[in-house]
Amino acid sequence: MPELPELAVTGSTGGLGGMVARHLAASGFAQRLLVRDAARAPQLDGAHAVVCSYADGAASRQALDGAKVLFMVSAAEAEDRLQQHYAFVDAAADAGVEHVVYTSFYGAAPDATFTLARDHYATEERIKASGMEYTFLRDNFYLDFLPLMTGDDGVIRGPAGDGVFSGVAREDIARCAHAVLRDPAIHKATTYNLTGPEELTMKQAAEVLSAGTGRTVRYQPETVEEAYASRASYGAPQWQLDAWVSTYTAMAAGEMAGLSPDVHGLTGQDPISLADFLTRPVL
């Protein structure tokens, strides 16, 4: 069996990881794509699919054997996501991976209002404790998700109040990851905050969505109690309800505010605004 590339990439069957893998292939980088289903791995020049899952430490250890740099996309949201992350980080360290580039969340902290940002912080700490070099990409709220938050009636409901967020396009995050992975050594022990070019309230975001899509979208503020009640019919588990609602309360608390120069610093391009995002072709 030929020796596998030293650059390992996760998430290539998904949106962000797929973009990163395509950027790397276009730049002539060989990469091993860690996937759960080899049949779903993208067919890219210089790419080799290897099967494993985050939760399976033994398979991950084998899949990462000989890899030096790892691009780790956070796992799909799940109740045990943090345990999956721990198993995978430990496997990477055991396999001899030297540098992990991890997609984290803006404002990751043990006491973050957004519940999943606490898991991202814990994952960062596990990576630091492993002894591997690290680069953390702390992404603000994805602009890509905004249209999906609009109900069938054109209303975005949530307890965000007048809080602002500095949402970033997944496309910009992929370009930043590509920039880091091209020369990881100069990004060691660095945390980048990836934001868009503007701070928006949910009311302002709804106005931009209306102008950009031709569909009337409006924001309807909710109390926290109303937010839980309006989502109860989905039958989602408590951890997921908490994550959904705390996305908005984190905005209300000011934890998604602030603009960072890091997208431009890494890519040489200004980040994409919400209005621009809505006019771009789907990648």
Side-chain angles (χ1 to χ4, degrees):
M1 180 177 171
E3 198 165 306
L4 290 168
E6 293 185 348
L7 172 59
V9 173
T10 68
S12 63
T13 60
L16 176 60
M19 287 183 203
V20 172
R22 291 193 294 273
H23 279 309
L24 290 166
S27 299
F29 282 84
Q31 54 187 318
R32 68 176 83 176
L33 304 177
L34 273 55
V35 293
R36 284 173 294 182
D37 180 358
R40 292 186 58 218
Q43 301 299 307
L44 300 169
D45 289 343
H48 304 262
V50 184
V51 175
C52 71
S53 67
Y54 281 6
D56 188 338
S60 297
R61 161 83 179 68
Q62 189 171 4
L64 287 166
D65 187 47
K68 300 300 183 193
V69 177
L70 168 63
F71 177 59
M72 180 182 172
V73 176
S74 55
E77 293 179 8
E79 189 165 17
D80 68 341
R81 176 161 76 162
L82 188 54
Q83 286 69 43
Q84 292 183 43
H85 282 182
Y86 282 177
F88 188 63
V89 169
D90 294 350
D94 289 345
V97 170
E98 296 172 1
H99 190 146
V100 180
V101 180
Y102 173 66
T103 59
S104 186
F105 194 81
Y106 190 82
D111 57 351
T113 300
F114 179 42
T115 55
L116 301 184
R118 303 172 199 166
D119 291 347
H120 283 294
Y121 174 80
T123 301
E124 289 183 359
E125 291 300 297
R126 188 76 159 212
I127 292 169
K128 287 179 179 179
S130 73
M132 294 183 287
E133 296 288 354
Y134 64 86
T135 306
F136 299 142
L137 304 178
R138 287 186 169 183
D139 314 329
N140 204 287
F141 182 81
Y142 282 6
L143 292 180
D144 309 53
F145 289 167
L146 266 174
L148 307 177
M149 297 169 76
T150 308
D152 292 338
D153 56 358
V155 179
I156 299 175
R157 295 176 173 81
D162 295 322
V164 297
F165 64 99
S166 43
V168 63
R170 204 154 42 183
E171 190 180 330
D172 278 328
I173 300 164
R175 276 199 288 265
C176 289
H178 176 230
V180 170
L181 293 167
R182 286 169 67 100
D183 191 0
I186 64 173
H187 303 284
K188 287 179 179 179
T190 305
T191 297
Y192 294 107
N193 290 307
L194 305 186
T195 73
E198 60 196 343
E199 294 178 310
L200 294 171
T201 63
M202 269 294 170
K203 182 175 184 291
Q204 291 169 329
E207 292 166 357
V208 176
L209 285 170
S210 295
T213 64
R215 176 190 184 197
T216 301
V217 179
R218 65 183 177 87
Y219 170 60
Q220 180 177 312
E222 292 181 309
T223 65
V224 171
E225 293 74 19
E226 288 169 341
Y228 276 101
S230 66
R231 288 156 179 79
S233 63
Y234 293 109
Q238 187 65 41
W239 70 266
Q240 194 158 37
L241 290 172
D242 292 342
W244 288 344
V245 173
S246 65
T247 303
Y248 295 93
T249 54
M251 292 177 189
E255 292 176 22
M256 293 193 199
L259 300 176
S260 165
D262 288 346
V263 169
H264 188 280
L266 286 167
T267 68
Q269 299 178 44
D270 289 333
I272 299 163
S273 68
L274 177 57
D276 287 343
F277 169 76
L278 295 172
T279 68
R280 298 174 84 81
V282 177
L283 293 180

